[in-house]
Amino acid sequence: MPEIKKIAVIGAGVMGAGIAAQAANAGLDVLLLDRVPEGAADNNVIATGAIDKLLKSKPAALMHKRNARLISPGNTTEHLTELATCDWVIEAIVENLGIKRELYQKIDAYRGQHTIVSSNTSTLPLADLTDGLSEAFRKHFLITHFFNPPRYMRLLELVTGPETAPEVEAGIRACVDYKLGKSIVTCKDTPGFIANRIGTYWLQAAVVKAIAQDIGVEEADAVLSRPAGVPKTGVFGLLDLVGLDLMPHILANLEDTLPKTDAFHQLGGSPPLLETMVAEGYTGRKGKGGFYRLNADKVKEVISLQNGKYAPVKRPRPDALGAGKKGGLRAVLEHPSALGRYAWSVLSDTLAYAAGLVPEIADDIEAVDRAMRLGYNWKYGPFELLDKLGSAWFSARLKAENRPVPALLALADGRPFYRTREGHGQHLGTDQSYHTFQRPPGVLLLEDIKRRSRPLLGNRWASVWDLGEGVACLEFHSKMNSLNPFILSVIKKALKTLPERGFKGMVIYNEGEHFSVGANIAMLLVGGMLRLWPFIRWVLKDGQTTFSTMKYGNFPVVGAPAGMALGGGCELLLHCHAVTAHAETYMGLVEAGVGIVPGWGGCKEMLSRWTAAPKAPKGPVAPVLKAFELIVQAQVSTSAAQARDMLFLQADDEIVMNRDRVLSAARDRVQVLAENFQARTPAVFHLPGPTGKAALQIGIHDFVKRGIATAHDATVAGELATVLSGAETDMMDELSEQDILSLERDIIVRLMHTAQSRARVAHMLKTGKPLRN
């Protein structure tokens, strides 16, 4: 099967355009087609308009605006002949069987001999879609169900038919995995597949039971979110996010396609309140509001499920949540309050429903759990939740309520659904035996390493693991992976002892949601409030020394970030010998937002990079200005591709689309670096001094005058300008890296003397948001 290099997407709606954007993010050529509207002056107007929207969308669908150039607009009247040049055609039109079949007949007439065709359907069975089509078409057809938004949701549900050629499936798997960066879950050809089958049931159960049991929207979201490992939006917040107008269509489709014996039908149809809200334009965040809304005074309000009226949000603290803090999810479900009973009624129905669907919807429970984690952002899948609750406890409670126990739960007979044996993770199968997890070739996960080994060294906040092949991995596991002196001590110890133990190099990586949100700024706040200036200087010096030792040592270190890498986390990566970044890496030096400047070498590194960059503006002030703009505005890249433009990543740093492949790629990079490794030489700077600072301050004062910046913004910016311009220096003077690092320390201590900077740090710690004082 030829490599997939060009894709056609038919259907330029939100989903189709999003899929086209992700294909362009992968560097593929994309043809985006849609119908020709009646009386249109431009036959491509729908596709062209979709591309324009992609350039403006928030969150951004494109990892870099230049990727839009890879998408060519067209229409299904004039451009179907171009399908012969495409390797893969993705249909993403309305969920109407007749309309889809009619389109497939046209696609079959124009596609190339080896062109693969797939549908993005989430509800229609593959057997129905291909009924009556040619044998060649059926051999090249499958379902590839993306989740919205396609760039950010890692799940792709894959459904093949009995006639789908093995090489067709293999070609799609390779493209979706390596290029589009998706985690593939193989599904059976059943209505709703896996994630939407269970997810829709869960959402519907939560809504109808809240109405029936007189539970408020806020209370329901509170008790069904964090205790169960569900995103903090909860159920009603999630419905607002995806759009209330979609729910009736999904419910109606499942009602039509699921057998009458399915438990889904017992929940009932779309609630009248939901239909009224949609009719009045309350479709969620994309409309006038939904279950939550902002009123005319920008005050957040929540709807009453009983009378449909809005009232200000109260953010309740139910007693059941207090029980959960001590006893976990089970304590919430056992709580005697109305909320405890509500949580049990929703989750018990959902978990029992999921347990009853295997092997109907998937061959194993691991596929079900992965689909719910990646498709609905659950922290734990249904069977992982059953393990947390205890399958024996759950079954016993169902029996006590005279409710049927699903066959898979009865088969477990109190045994866990997951276990570790001889260093390997295993899941319980429908054959009553445990089966070892099977990872795709080339996937290396730290969670698997940790199952079969013990850390080489570490403490409560960081650990070092043996990845094999002579490469170690340093992992943070502090809250939000924030950095502190205890983590720095592990880095220093690793740099000293690993070479002595025969290791070639080290990867810095973790499997948390974010690589690192930066230094633990609580240290600064405590130090500032208690006037412990020597302590603050020591913390700053410790970080600077650690990162410098790492950068200039004889031991290659590769950073492997995903998610946010902010402040100190970004500074750490700037000092690595190379970076292998997940495509969804968001890097930035955000210290100005908390009233300080980068203090672990960030200023020094950005000066060095902008001075040496081949395409950077030239002149004594130009690199200072570029570094200043990035840092003073606390700019954060919206992707790894953008981080490269900002020089947080360098030209030879690797970007990996699939997060599950980052660690393996980083290990490979360490081995390459180790072959002919040469230690770096510290940079030397020639900075403009007071002249350069004066140039920067002109802009600062203008921003204050125009009301864009506050007085303390100007103070922070002025101090940053001091560091980046080299303070009292001259272009003829030679400054070392240590000179710049000393300036970083002095300026941070000076800023922490101010009440305004201490207030900014305190506010960030309390709210997670910057204070503009």
Side-chain angles (χ1 to χ4, degrees):
M1 198 75 203
E3 180 185 359
I4 293 174
K5 296 180 179 179
K6 184 176 181 180
I7 289 179
V9 179
I10 302 180
V14 172
M15 199 68 195
I19 294 170
Q22 184 64 2
N25 291 334
L28 301 172
D29 289 322
V30 185
L31 178 64
L32 181 60
L33 306 180
D34 210 302
R35 62 187 178 83
V36 178
E38 187 174 346
D42 174 9
N43 288 352
N44 300 338
V45 63
I46 295 180
T48 301
I51 296 170
D52 289 340
K53 289 178 182 177
L54 289 176
L55 288 164
K56 302 172 185 174
S57 65
K58 290 185 179 181
L62 295 163
M63 292 180 179
H64 199 292
K65 289 186 182 294
R66 64 169 172 260
N67 294 345
R69 296 193 296 244
L70 295 172
I71 308 175
S72 301
N75 64 78
T76 52
T77 300
E78 301 170 298
H79 300 114
L80 287 180
T81 55
E82 295 185 32
L83 299 184
T85 67
C86 296
D87 304 303
W88 179 13
V89 178
I90 303 173
E91 168 268 305
I93 65 172
V94 63
E95 291 287 271
N96 181 293
L97 184 59
I99 295 175
K100 287 182 187 287
R101 280 185 183 165
E102 183 180 348
L103 175 62
Y104 296 161
Q105 294 283 0
K106 295 177 181 178
I107 292 174
D108 200 17
Y110 291 108
R111 72 180 185 86
Q113 181 182 357
H114 300 292
T115 302
I116 301 170
V117 183
S118 74
S119 175
N120 184 58
T121 184
S122 61
T123 54
L124 299 172
L126 184 148
D128 293 346
L129 292 171
T130 57
D131 186 33
L133 291 162
S134 71
E135 180 183 354
F137 185 89
R138 295 197 302 273
K139 285 178 65 175
H140 290 83
F141 186 84
L142 64 172
I143 289 173
T144 51
H145 179 214
F146 291 81
F147 279 69
N148 195 36
R151 171 182 165 183
Y152 299 97
M153 300 302 289
R154 293 176 58 202
L155 175 64
L156 182 130
E157 292 181 320
L158 182 68
V159 181
T160 58
E163 297 177 75
T164 305
E167 62 270 22
V168 167
E169 179 182 354
I172 289 298
R173 282 183 177 275
C175 181
V176 166
D177 179 343
Y178 288 91
K179 294 185 177 181
L180 301 186
K182 301 303 171 191
S183 182
I184 301 169
V185 171
T186 304
C187 307
K188 302 285 188 72
D189 191 15
T190 56
F193 311 130
I194 297 176
N196 280 348
R197 178 79 172 271
I198 297 171
T200 303
Y201 181 95
W202 166 65
L203 292 170
Q204 178 72 345
V207 173
V208 298
K209 290 176 183 292
I211 294 172
Q213 297 177 33
D214 195 18
I215 300 295
V217 167
E218 292 174 274
E219 294 174 316
D221 279 348
V223 81
L224 288 180
S225 55
R226 290 184 178 177
V230 172
K232 62 182 181 180
T233 56
V235 170
F236 293 94
L238 177 60
L239 285 168
D240 279 354
L241 183 64
V242 300
L244 274 61
D245 52 332
L246 294 179
M247 199 63 179
H249 296 291
I250 296 172
L251 292 172
N253 197 289
L254 288 175
E255 286 170 359
D256 291 342
T257 54
L258 289 174
K260 298 303 178 185
T261 55
D262 194 274
F264 177 83
H265 296 289
Q266 298 173 16
L267 295 175
S270 180
L273 173 63
L274 186 63
E275 296 179 356
T276 300
M277 292 172 69
V278 172
E280 295 178 354
Y282 287 95
T283 55
R285 295 189 186 182
K286 64 184 178 182
K288 297 190 295 185
F291 293 106
Y292 297 95
R293 74 172 186 184
L294 291 177
N295 64 20
D297 297 322
K298 302 300 180 183
V299 174
K300 190 173 184 180
E301 296 182 328
V302 62
I303 199 169
S304 166
L305 298 177
Q306 306 306 315
N307 59 29
K309 295 181 179 179
Y310 285 93
V313 165
K314 295 179 181 177
R315 302 194 184 283
R317 301 285 182 186
D319 291 341
L321 295 185
K325 287 183 179 180
K326 297 179 180 178
L329 178 60
R330 189 195 287 193
V332 173
L333 302 184
E334 290 179 325
H335 199 269
S337 65
L339 264 181
R341 294 191 297 272
Y342 167 73
W344 165 252
S345 69
V346 174
L347 284 177
S348 64
D349 278 3
T350 301
L351 297 181
Y353 185 66
L357 292 176
V358 178
E360 176 192 340
I361 62 174
D363 287 329
D364 58 67
I365 64 171
E366 193 275 334
V368 172
D369 281 348
R370 192 151 45 94
M372 293 309 297
R373 289 197 308 269
L374 298 178
Y376 276 76
N377 284 329
W378 285 17
K379 187 175 182 179
Y380 311 104
F383 295 95
E384 291 169 315
L385 283 172
L386 285 168
D387 271 358
K388 284 192 167 295
L389 294 171
S391 60
W393 173 85
F394 190 82
S395 296
R397 187 159 176 184
L398 291 181
K399 290 177 183 177
E401 296 175 0
N402 294 317
R403 295 164 63 184
V405 176
L408 196 57
L409 265 171
L411 181 150
D413 193 26
R415 291 182 293 169
F417 285 104
Y418 294 94
R419 72 178 190 181
T420 298
R421 283 293 183 275
E422 297 178 356
H424 296 284
Q426 297 181 332
H427 62 82
L428 183 65
T430 55
D431 59 357
Q432 300 189 44
S433 299
Y434 283 94
H435 302 268
T436 300
F437 295 154
Q438 298 299 315
R439 306 297 188 197
V443 168
L444 177 65
L445 299 181
L446 189 57
E447 66 175 79
D448 291 340
I449 299 291
K450 291 161 71 172
R451 282 193 183 97
R452 56 178 179 261
S453 63
R454 293 189 174 187
L456 300 168
L457 57 98
N459 56 30
R460 177 181 169 186
W461 295 272
S463 300
V464 178
W465 304 88
D466 185 352
L467 296 180
E469 301 182 18
V471 181
C473 175
L474 189 145
E475 171 204 24
F476 313 138
H477 36 76
S478 55
K479 184 177 181 181
M480 296 289 285
N481 290 325
S482 61
L483 305 179
N484 60 42
F486 302 103
I487 290 176
L488 297 178
S489 71
V490 175
I491 296 175
K492 287 183 287 190
K493 189 172 182 180
L495 294 172
K496 181 178 185 299
T497 63
L498 290 178
E500 297 170 354
R501 299 171 70 167
F503 283 88
K504 300 175 185 176
M506 181 173 73
V507 174
I508 299 181
Y509 165 90
N510 64 73
E511 288 170 356
E513 182 180 0
H514 300 296
F515 177 76
S516 174
V517 296
N520 186 342
I521 56 176
M523 299 181 295
L524 289 179
L525 182 60
V526 172
M529 292 176 65
L530 298 179
R531 303 295 194 267
L532 301 175
W533 311 122
F535 169 73
I536 293 178
R537 284 187 178 277
W538 173 80
V539 169
L540 295 171
K541 180 74 171 178
D542 191 33
Q544 292 174 348
T545 301
T546 302
F547 292 173
S548 292
T549 301
M550 181 174 73
K551 180 175 181 178
Y552 296 114
N554 291 306
F555 187 69
V557 178
V558 173
M564 292 191 297
L566 306 179
C570 180
E571 289 177 294
L572 183 148
L573 294 171
L574 294 176
H575 288 81
C576 289
H577 299 101
V579 175
T580 296
H582 181 230
E584 297 297 347
T585 297
Y586 318 120
M587 297 179 69
L589 297 170
V590 296
E591 287 84 353
V594 291
I596 58 173
V597 302
W600 280 348
C603 295
K604 174 257 301 180
E605 284 300 306
M606 294 316 294
L607 279 174
S608 177
R609 292 186 179 206
W610 280 105
T611 300
K615 296 182 180 179
K618 301 304 177 185
V621 180
V624 174
L625 179 58
K626 291 298 297 186
F628 180 78
E629 289 175 349
L630 284 172
I631 298 171
V632 79
Q633 296 176 27
Q635 292 182 28
V636 177
S637 71
T638 58
S639 67
Q642 192 184 40
R644 184 175 278 160
D645 285 356
M646 300 161 82
L647 300 193
F648 292 136
L649 295 180
Q650 304 204 78
D652 58 350
D653 285 332
E654 186 178 9
I655 297 175
V656 179
M657 290 293 283
N658 191 326
R659 184 165 183 171
D660 290 343
R661 298 190 176 277
V662 170
L663 182 57
S664 179
R667 183 177 67 177
D668 291 346
R669 189 69 189 278
V670 168
Q671 291 174 309
V672 171
L673 289 175
E675 288 179 5
N676 298 294
F677 187 74
Q678 292 183 335
R680 293 170 169 173
T681 303
V684 174
F685 299 92
H686 294 275
L687 298 175
T691 304
K693 179 177 179 178
L696 296 177
Q697 285 187 311
I698 293 173
I700 297 170
H701 292 312
D702 181 57
F703 282 152
V704 173
K705 189 175 180 180
R706 291 161 54 192
I708 298 173
T710 67
H712 196 60
D713 288 335
T715 299
V716 175
E719 298 288 25
L720 174 63
T722 299
V723 177
L724 295 176
S725 63
E728 299 300 322
T729 188
D730 182 281
M731 283 301 298
M732 302 302 293
D733 295 335
E734 192 173 272
L735 296 181
S736 68
E737 291 194 352
Q738 291 304 317
D739 292 328
I740 308 300
L741 293 175
S742 178
L743 282 173
E744 288 183 0
R745 298 194 300 272
D746 290 344
I747 293 304
I748 289 179
V749 170
R750 197 149 71 200
L751 285 168
M752 287 307 297
H753 271 81
T754 68
Q756 294 92 335
S757 282
R758 293 197 298 274
R760 288 191 177 194
V761 173
H763 190 268
M764 177 62 72
L765 288 169
K766 182 178 181 180
T767 68
K769 298 177 181 179
L771 173 67
R772 296 298 306 281
N773 59 348

